[in-house]
Amino acid sequence: QIKAVLKQDPELILKSPSHPGPLAELDFWSSKASNLNAIYNQLQSDRVRRVLRFLDRAKSTYNAPFAKLCTEVFRARAEANDNNRFLKPLRPWLEELENMSSFEGLTTCFRPIIHLILLVWKGSAYYNTPSRLVVLLREICNCLIRQACGYVNGTLIFEMIEADEARKAEDMLRTLLRVFGAFKSTYWDYKAKALTEVPENPWRIQNNAIFVRLDAFL
């Protein structure tokens, strides 16, 4: 059970056919931190300490593997708690992004969200690697695609065309392109900021790694 918790990886969640949004990332680290804190407390209990002392005195072959497992738990717990703490300020903005009823209004969330992500990148001891950033941004793209499908979809477009409202359909598609373009522009602005503000660890990530599904949708 301990090894199962240690092997949990948000990249596996990203590969889900349900295409999770960014709140899944925050929920993942919150859950993992809670689980590892509980495991850590158990490992610190008097009962476990007595078992370890017995294994040590008996020079048991189980002693070294168990000590290694404890070390892995301590390291993973530190990472999970740090990630959970730094990602928390993003929750209200991501909730607004996922629940906003106005598609055009999504643009008001882009700069605060990417700004906070840069602050996390600069301050966190763990959430400052390309793999972490790619997962979170791709989940944000999933959210934008879901919102776009609720705003305008193929069925609605053809219904408007049949009702001689092709111009309205065109306007909605232009709005969609404008909103997605605003998100990309905001990301590129902060990618440039990361280069100047964190020169030792800039956002060296291929655009395709982040926008692959968003571009396919476009």
Side-chain angles (χ1 to χ4, degrees):
Q1 186 179 5
I2 295 176
K3 289 184 177 180
V5 174
L6 292 173
K7 288 181 180 179
Q8 289 176 339
D9 192 324
E11 291 188 39
L12 298 177
I13 298 175
L14 179 63
K15 294 176 182 178
S16 167
S18 63
H19 301 298
L23 288 175
E25 177 79 356
L26 273 62
D27 291 341
F28 170 87
W29 288 110
S30 175
S31 175
K32 187 166 186 176
S34 178
N35 290 335
L36 288 171
N37 285 333
I39 292 171
Y40 174 82
N41 290 334
Q42 292 179 44
L43 293 175
Q44 295 298 304
S45 68
D46 290 338
R47 182 180 179 183
V48 172
R49 287 178 179 274
R50 286 197 299 269
V51 171
L52 287 174
R53 285 196 294 269
F54 173 80
L55 292 175
D56 187 51
R57 287 196 299 269
K59 300 189 184 302
S60 171
T61 56
Y62 291 105
N63 198 30
F66 190 78
K68 180 181 178 182
L69 183 64
C70 289
T71 301
E72 291 177 7
V73 168
F74 299 156
R75 289 175 179 171
R77 173 178 175 266
E79 178 186 14
N81 281 319
D82 189 80
N83 289 348
N84 183 45
R85 179 167 66 92
F86 275 93
L87 291 173
K88 271 185 179 179
L90 276 162
R91 184 172 289 277
W93 286 104
L94 295 176
E95 287 177 344
E96 186 170 350
L97 188 75
E98 292 203 351
N99 299 319
M100 186 171 289
S101 56
S102 168
F103 183 72
E104 291 184 81
L106 294 175
T107 57
T108 61
C109 299
F110 295 161
R111 192 160 293 275
I113 287 173
I114 305 300
H115 180 76
L116 283 170
I117 290 174
L118 179 58
L119 291 180
V120 171
W121 181 273
K122 292 166 67 175
S124 174
Y126 301 92
Y127 212 90
N128 54 7
T129 63
S131 60
R132 294 278 74 85
L133 184 61
V134 166
V135 168
L136 181 57
L137 289 173
R138 287 184 65 176
E139 287 172 339
I140 292 174
C141 289
N142 288 342
C143 176
L144 296 182
I145 292 171
R146 191 174 298 115
Q147 286 278 29
C149 290
Y151 172 67
V152 60
N153 54 66
T155 301
L156 179 60
I157 289 171
F158 285 108
E159 286 177 353
M160 285 189 288
I161 292 173
E162 290 175 1
D164 293 327
E165 295 180 333
R167 179 57 63 84
K168 182 180 178 181
E170 181 182 347
D171 289 343
M172 294 180 76
L173 289 173
R174 289 186 185 279
T175 297
L176 188 152
L177 294 172
R178 185 168 61 252
V179 169
F180 280 15
F183 176 68
K184 284 188 167 186
S185 295
T186 304
Y187 165 74
W188 289 326
D189 287 346
Y190 277 87
K191 184 176 183 179
K193 279 180 177 286
L195 181 61
T196 57
E197 296 182 13
V198 200
E200 72 282 2
N201 187 26
W203 289 359
R204 289 197 183 96
I205 303 168
Q206 294 292 326
N207 291 332
N208 185 60
I210 297 171
F211 300 121
V212 56
R213 186 165 179 257
L214 194 72
D215 288 341
F217 179 81
L218 286 170

